[in-house]
């Protein structure tokens, strides 16, 4: 019984420690449609430490919660640009952008 109680306390302490490292940010990302949304969210979720990622196609804002000891905003923007979507800080490679479906071709950021 004592061992079970100690394990429960240890688990709660570890959960509390992880929760303290969670950061939520909002990033403006270029895109147009549901395919863009799926592509962006899938790419972001491949990063270690991502808890949630949701891109709103009307506002063009990605809201992402992540463990800041495992990833950071630059890595998030880099992975999004890597699948063809410009961010305010990192522009997607032209060759990747050119391969996007026609409805996904947004007005490029300057």
């Amino acid at each position: 019984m004592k061992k079970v109680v100690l394990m429960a306390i240890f688990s709660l302490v570890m959960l509390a420690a992880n929760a303290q490292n969670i950061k939520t940010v909002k990033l403006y990302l270029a895109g147009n449609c549901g395919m863009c949304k799926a592509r962006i969210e899938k790419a972001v979720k491949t990063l270690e430490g991502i808890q949630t990622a949701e891109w709103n196609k009307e506002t063009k804002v990605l809201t992402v919660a992540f463990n800041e000891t495992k990833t950071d905003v630059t890595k998030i923007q880099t992975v999004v640009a890597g699948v063809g979507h410009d961010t305010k800080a990192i522009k997607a490679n032209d060759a990747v952008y050119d391969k996007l479906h026609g409805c996904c071709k947004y007005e490029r950021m300057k």
Side-chain angles (χ1 to χ4, degrees):
M1 178 69 173
K2 190 175 185 180
K3 188 175 183 179
V4 171
V5 171
L6 288 173
M7 290 297 289
I9 291 171
F10 176 75
S11 295
L12 288 173
V13 168
M14 292 305 292
L15 284 172
N18 277 339
Q20 292 175 1
N21 295 323
I22 302 304
K23 181 176 185 175
T24 301
V25 296
K26 294 183 181 287
L27 304 168
Y28 182 83
L29 308 176
N32 290 329
C33 64
M35 287 192 297
C36 295
K37 176 179 173 62
R39 182 182 311 105
I40 290 165
E41 291 174 0
K42 181 178 178 181
V44 172
K45 290 176 182 175
T46 65
L47 293 170
E48 185 179 1
I50 299 295
Q51 289 206 330
T52 61
E54 185 170 343
W55 183 72
N56 182 303
K57 71 180 185 177
E58 283 77 30
T59 64
K60 314 290 189 220
V61 172
L62 172 71
T63 303
V64 58
F66 60 96
N67 183 324
E68 59 187 339
T69 65
K70 298 187 181 214
T71 195
D72 58 47
V73 172
T74 301
K75 288 178 186 173
I76 294 166
Q77 292 176 327
T78 300
V79 77
V80 169
V83 295
H85 295 274
D86 293 348
T87 73
K88 287 187 175 182
I90 302 173
K91 186 176 176 186
N93 179 289
D94 290 340
V96 177
Y97 171 82
D98 290 343
K99 290 180 183 177
L100 292 177
H101 187 273
C103 70
C104 298
K105 298 228 173 145
Y106 53 86
E107 187 173 328
R108 301 298 302 267
M109 290 188 188
K110 304 273 186 257

